[in-house]
Amino acid sequence: MISINEHYKKLNSSYLFSDIAQRVSKYQKSHPEKKIIKLGIGDVTEPLPPACINAMHKACDEMGNRESFKGYGPEQGYEFLRETIAENDFKARGANISANDIFVSDGAKCDTGSFQELFTQSIKIAVPDPVYPVYVDTNVMAGRTGNYVDGRYQDLIYLESTKDNKFVPELPENQVDLIYLCYPNNPTGAIITKAELEKWVRYAEKNNALILFDAAYEAFIQDEALPKSIYEIPGADKVAVEFRSFSKTAGFTGIRCAYTVVPESCIVYDEAGEPTKLRDYWNRRQTTRFNGVSYPVQCAANAVYSEEGQKQVKELISYYLKNAVVIREGLTSMGYNCTGGENSPYIWVETQTDSWEFFDLLLEKAGVVCTPGSGFGKCGEGFVRISAFNQYEKVVEAIDRITKLK
Ligand code: MLT
């Protein structure tokens, strides 16, 4: 008899953003006349930077020619891209990361979700609350979390991120082995300072723990004093893995390219307590399960780092950040407390009502889609997340509609 993985039964019946998409689609079907504005899932709307398009066209032409045609690429990504990334995203900021430490992939969602596969069942895992649901759900699937009781999985350690701690949680009271952190934060839009991030690195060193640092939104950081990478903290290369994405940085949600950094110096332990290089295991995993990102897409990603690519990407980021200002100022002027939207594309709005009720109110009365905070965890109750990813005119209209509700 073929039996299902029983742990899947512990999950909500559908993934948060699929659930929202279904609800919106159902609502739209019964109200076809309503013009819905989506500020829910963080999906980009603006076209790819011309530098990326040109690079992709050129790469497609190469694929149409026997001399320059390419079959399977390296599972780790082409060296030209990994070298460019190491140089621009890390060495230029004083972080000692080399091309060898970089694994190009088709998305930070896949990588943050898959990374837990490398660890034993019994590790103690700490996740922020609220949190990007992928970190939790993939550990549920792997059977590490225990049952879901009263809004939480019994065997996870929740790091509460609240207004009082400015959405940067305290260190765990007890020893944990794996810690998920995300800054600029999804969903709260909060940022972390170097001093705060350093405390986590020191905690990981002291406890032989590993930090999985999701930096998918680093391109939105405007304040130069803030860390864009955990490797700006000395010693982090030994205790942290970092996830980056071209999705929000350069509008790649539809063409898929991201990367994960597993430094050669990053150490985990085997069953005898002997140190072993984590990089070798991720390399083993990737070479088995993954055949690399397509050549044209890696060429497009490489073009992000060209002079014109950098200029165009900065314009894209400014575009969405301008939307974020509209959202933040609009909601603040209505009396709502807002976090984020300054170094992040997400605005975390304190609604002081049930998150799903507020979601329904915005959908039904304003035709605007947001994301209910409770979908990200217990501490998200009483909040909604509003995304700045949409066309400027639509964002202005959405805020206008919301303002008229009061
Ligand atoms: C989000 O809205 O949180 C993200 O777009 C989801 C994702 O990147 O997977």
Side-chain angles (χ1 to χ4, degrees):
M1 184 172 62
I2 173 72
S3 314
I4 199 71
N5 174 351
E6 64 191 287
H7 302 301
Y8 273 64
K9 293 202 182 139
K10 299 173 189 163
L11 293 164
N12 287 338
S13 60
S14 72
Y15 179 60
L16 174 64
F17 292 106
S18 316
D19 185 10
I20 292 170
Q22 277 163 21
R23 285 176 191 237
V24 173
S25 151
K26 195 166 154 221
Y27 180 79
Q28 183 77 86
K29 274 203 186 102
S30 55
H31 299 82
E33 74 295 346
K34 276 259 167 87
K35 289 221 175 335
I36 292 177
I37 301 176
K38 293 183 182 164
L39 305 178
I41 191 166
D43 194 6
V44 293
T45 54
E46 299 314 294
L48 288 167
C52 300
I53 294 291
N54 292 340
M56 248 196 300
H57 280 158
K58 193 166 156 278
C60 288
D61 288 342
E62 286 177 49
M63 296 297 262
N65 190 320
R66 180 170 280 154
E67 278 66 52
S68 48
F69 173 79
K70 288 182 167 44
Y72 291 130
E75 295 94 341
Q76 301 81 359
Y78 284 101
E79 197 172 342
F80 66 83
L81 177 57
R82 291 185 291 109
E83 288 287 355
T84 309
I85 291 171
E87 210 47 59
N88 290 271
D89 287 348
F90 299 102
K91 291 194 178 129
R93 293 188 67 86
N96 189 21
I97 294 298
S98 78
N100 212 25
D101 304 332
I102 290 163
F103 293 82
V104 177
S105 78
D106 61 350
K109 178 181 184 179
C110 315
D111 286 1
T112 54
S114 302
F115 214 88
Q116 48 74 29
E117 283 176 31
L118 301 190
F119 308 111
T120 194
Q121 280 304 102
S122 57
I123 52 165
K124 278 257 161 271
I125 302 171
V127 290
D129 179 0
V131 68
Y132 180 42
V134 170
Y135 316 153
V136 172
D137 287 4
T138 50
N139 277 294
V140 175
M141 292 167 180
R144 284 203 195 86
T145 60
N147 288 326
Y148 191 65
V149 178
D150 194 19
R152 285 192 165 167
Y153 289 97
Q154 283 175 309
D155 297 342
L156 288 181
I157 285 111
Y158 288 89
L159 307 168
E160 300 204 341
S161 309
T162 62
K163 241 183 1 179
D164 293 342
N165 58 28
K166 297 205 171 75
F167 305 100
V168 177
E170 305 300 324
L171 296 174
E173 280 166 17
N174 299 318
Q175 196 257 333
V176 300
D177 307 306
L178 186 67
I179 302 152
Y180 288 84
L181 291 179
C182 172
Y183 287 98
N185 187 257
N186 179 13
T188 64
I191 45 92
I192 194 163
T193 63
K194 274 192 186 156
E196 286 162 338
L197 191 53
E198 178 155 11
K199 285 191 207 157
W200 287 93
V201 171
R202 301 286 92 91
Y203 174 92
E205 282 171 344
K206 192 165 152 223
N207 291 280
N208 294 342
L210 182 76
I211 299 171
L212 297 184
F213 189 72
D214 186 348
Y217 299 93
E218 56 76 29
F220 291 85
I221 293 178
Q222 303 298 297
D223 180 346
E224 270 303 313
L226 296 173
K228 283 183 166 246
S229 166
I230 195 164
Y231 304 120
E232 291 173 38
I233 310 296
D237 58 306
K238 297 185 185 62
V239 294
V241 167
E242 182 165 302
F243 303 92
R244 293 273 189 111
S245 172
F246 294 96
S247 283
K248 321 290 156 97
T249 309
F252 275 43
T253 57
I255 62 167
R256 317 298 310 145
C257 196
Y259 67 87
T260 291
V261 188
V262 192
E264 172 115 51
S265 43
C266 188
I267 293 298
V268 291
Y269 299 87
D270 68 13
E271 64 286 0
E274 290 301 320
T276 178
K277 283 184 182 172
L278 181 59
R279 187 194 171 281
D280 296 345
Y281 292 88
W282 185 244
N283 190 50
R284 184 68 179 83
R285 191 259 177 210
Q286 287 300 82
T287 48
T288 305
R289 288 195 186 244
F290 188 57
N291 258 338
V293 174
S294 76
Y295 175 66
V297 169
Q298 291 195 55
C299 289
N302 200 46
V304 164
Y305 299 92
S306 65
E307 206 180 317
E308 41 167 3
Q310 281 295 291
K311 189 169 159 277
Q312 293 159 2
V313 160
K314 287 203 175 94
E315 279 163 14
L316 265 184
I317 299 292
S318 304
Y319 182 90
Y320 293 122
L321 283 177
K322 195 168 127 201
N323 291 348
V325 170
V326 172
I327 298 168
R328 197 184 156 108
E329 286 183 354
L331 273 294
T332 306
S333 73
M334 291 174 74
Y336 291 109
N337 282 325
C338 295
T339 307
E342 284 161 334
N343 294 283
S344 140
Y346 296 128
I347 295 93
W348 190 238
V349 184
E350 188 177 8
T351 63
Q352 287 174 344
T353 57
D354 177 276
S355 297
W356 278 106
E357 259 175 40
F358 198 82
F359 169 89
D360 287 336
L361 174 88
L362 287 200
L363 180 61
E364 288 162 21
K365 300 277 185 279
V368 173
V369 180
C370 64
T371 308
S374 55
F376 298 101
K378 218 172 174 177
C379 293
E381 184 53 271
F383 292 84
V384 295
R385 190 193 78 175
I386 303 191
S387 153
F389 293 112
N390 209 322
Q391 292 161 21
Y392 178 74
E393 296 72 22
K394 289 200 178 162
V395 170
V396 170
E397 184 175 340
I399 297 305
D400 187 50
R401 289 190 202 167
I402 297 173
T403 315
K404 287 184 178 136
L405 291 181
K406 270 238 163 163

